[in-house]
Amino acid sequence: MRLMVTGGAGFIGSNFIRSFLARHPETQLINVDLLTYAGNRDNMEGFTSYPGYVFVQADINDRELLGKFFQQGLDAVINFAAESHVDRSITEPLLFAQTNIRGTLNLLTLAREYKVPKFIQVSTDEVYGTLGESGQFTEESPMAPNSPYAASKAGADLLARAFYITYGLPVVITRCSNNYGPYQFLEKLIPLVIINALKGEPVPLYGDGLQVRDWIHVADHCRAVEMVLERGKPGTVYNIGAENERTNLEVVRMILRILGKPESLIRFVTDRPGHDRRYALAAGKIRRELGWARQRARR
C-alpha cells in the first residue's frame, strides 16, 4: 500500500502512523506536516526508520509540492491535518479556515484529479454543536458548530461529502470524541493539568468546570481509523465514541488525586465564548458495520 497521512507529526496523526506501521511495516507511507505549534518532530520517534516511510514538511495548501506525490500514485489519503485548538480559533479564525477548509479542498481536488481510491476525512464531534443533559449525536444529527474551529471542520466535512456526491470520490468521514494519550499537545486539558499540578502551579478550569466530554484513548481512535481505511463504506460517516462521559471538573480532580495534589490548585476562570456544554456520540454504526470496540478500560 502507498498511503499519504497528513498531520502525522501531530497528536493523533503520529499515534496512528506509529501503530499502523507496527502492524504494516511494508507500507509506503508519506507523512505530510507543516510542523506548526501542534506538530512536533519528537512525536515521530519510533517510526522514522521504516524503509517505506517518507516525511515531507509542507502545507496541505501546497498544490505543486503535494501534486508530485499524487502523480506517483496513492492508494489512500488520511487527512488528520488541522488547526485544532478552539481557544486559538477564537483569536485566529482566518488561519483555521485557511488550513481546515482550503487545505482540505486542495487535498480533495488532488485526490479527484489523480483518482485516489480512498480518502478519509478525520473530523470531530464538535461539528454537531452542543447537547443538553441527555441524548447522543448520531451520524444523522445536523451539524451546528459553535466555534470557528468547529465551523471550519464542518466546512471541510461538507466539501468531502460534496466531492463524493458530485464527483464520486470515495470519501469516508470519521468524527471522534475527545482524545487523550501520549504525545498530546501541552495546551490541552489533561497534559496542562498534569504539568501544572506537578509544578504545584494553579490549574485553570473554564467556567464551573461542568462541561461534559466523552473521553477516548487515542489508541482506540487510531484502530477505528484503520478499520475505516480497510472496510469503511465510501460516502458515509462513522462516529467514534467511548461512552466515557465525564465533566472537566471530574477529570481534573481525578488527575490531582492520582498525583497526590490538593484540589486547592484548581482555579475557576472566565469561560471561553461559545463553550459547548456537552458532547456525546452514539458509536453503534462503527461497532455494527466494522466490529470496532473500545479496548481501553474506563477508570
Side-chain angles (χ1 to χ4, degrees):
M1 171 182 284
R2 185 171 167 82
L3 173 65
M4 176 179 284
V5 173
T6 65
F11 167 42
I12 301 173
S14 65
N15 274 282
F16 175 83
I17 292 176
R18 184 174 292 101
S19 63
F20 187 84
L21 286 179
R23 285 190 289 274
H24 309 281
E26 74 288 350
T27 301
Q28 296 181 36
L29 194 148
I30 302 155
N31 177 11
V32 178
D33 199 296
L34 188 55
L35 295 180
T36 58
Y37 61 88
N40 190 330
R41 288 188 182 275
D42 291 340
N43 291 354
M44 298 184 283
E45 66 177 354
F47 59 73
T48 58
S49 61
Y50 283 92
Y53 174 82
V54 175
F55 174 68
V56 181
Q57 185 173 352
D59 189 333
I60 58 172
N61 282 292
D62 191 334
R63 181 175 179 80
E64 182 177 357
L65 177 58
L66 296 188
K68 297 176 182 178
F69 295 95
F70 278 85
Q71 288 173 10
Q72 297 169 11
L74 293 170
D75 295 302
V77 173
I78 305 178
N79 183 28
F80 289 100
E83 303 288 344
S84 63
H85 302 284
V86 177
D87 289 353
R88 289 176 183 257
S89 80
I90 294 171
T91 58
E92 300 180 87
L94 186 60
L95 174 62
F96 279 66
Q98 178 74 6
T99 299
N100 298 355
I101 298 176
R102 191 176 182 277
T104 299
L105 178 58
N106 185 49
L107 293 171
L108 288 166
T109 303
L110 286 167
R112 177 196 171 214
E113 181 177 349
Y114 293 102
K115 298 179 173 57
V116 176
K118 192 161 224 178
F119 188 107
I120 298 177
Q121 171 65 13
V122 179
S123 190
T124 170
D125 57 359
E126 296 191 41
V127 301
Y128 294 122
T130 189
L131 283 167
E133 293 182 358
S134 63
Q136 294 177 311
F137 291 123
T138 71
E139 288 84 356
E140 286 71 44
S141 296
M143 289 193 288
N146 291 320
S147 70
Y149 161 65
S152 68
K153 291 296 289 185
D157 287 7
L158 290 172
L159 282 169
R161 180 183 185 277
F163 267 66
Y164 171 75
I165 298 295
T166 304
Y167 306 116
L169 183 68
V171 173
V172 186
I173 298 169
T174 65
R175 294 177 182 147
C176 192
S177 56
N178 275 40
N179 282 233
Y180 70 95
Y183 304 98
Q184 189 164 26
F185 187 55
L186 300 183
E187 287 183 7
K188 290 294 191 175
L189 177 64
I190 290 178
L192 178 64
V193 173
I194 293 172
I195 291 170
N196 283 24
L198 288 174
K199 293 179 179 179
E201 297 178 354
V203 173
L205 194 57
Y206 281 128
D208 58 10
L210 299 183
Q211 301 87 358
V212 177
R213 300 294 182 261
D214 174 12
W215 292 93
I216 183 172
H217 194 278
V218 66
D220 284 333
H221 183 190
C222 291
R223 283 194 312 102
V225 172
E226 184 172 342
M227 288 180 172
V228 170
L229 174 64
E230 294 171 347
R231 305 192 300 279
K233 181 181 178 182
T236 62
V237 175
Y238 292 97
N239 284 349
I240 306 168
E243 297 182 347
N244 185 27
E245 292 183 49
R246 300 178 188 273
T247 67
N248 289 344
L249 181 58
E250 183 182 1
V251 170
V252 171
R253 283 174 169 167
M254 182 190 307
I255 294 170
L256 293 176
R257 184 171 65 251
I258 291 170
L259 296 178
K261 299 294 183 177
E263 291 187 11
S264 59
L265 288 176
I266 298 174
R267 296 288 189 276
F268 293 97
V269 298
T270 303
D271 209 353
R272 72 183 178 209
H275 198 175
D276 293 330
R277 194 64 172 174
R278 175 174 172 261
Y279 305 135
L281 287 179
K285 181 177 179 180
I286 195 170
R287 289 196 297 266
R288 290 190 307 272
E289 294 188 7
L290 304 185
W292 176 85
R294 184 195 71 235
Q295 293 184 345
R296 294 290 178 132
R298 287 180 286 184
R299 294 191 60 178

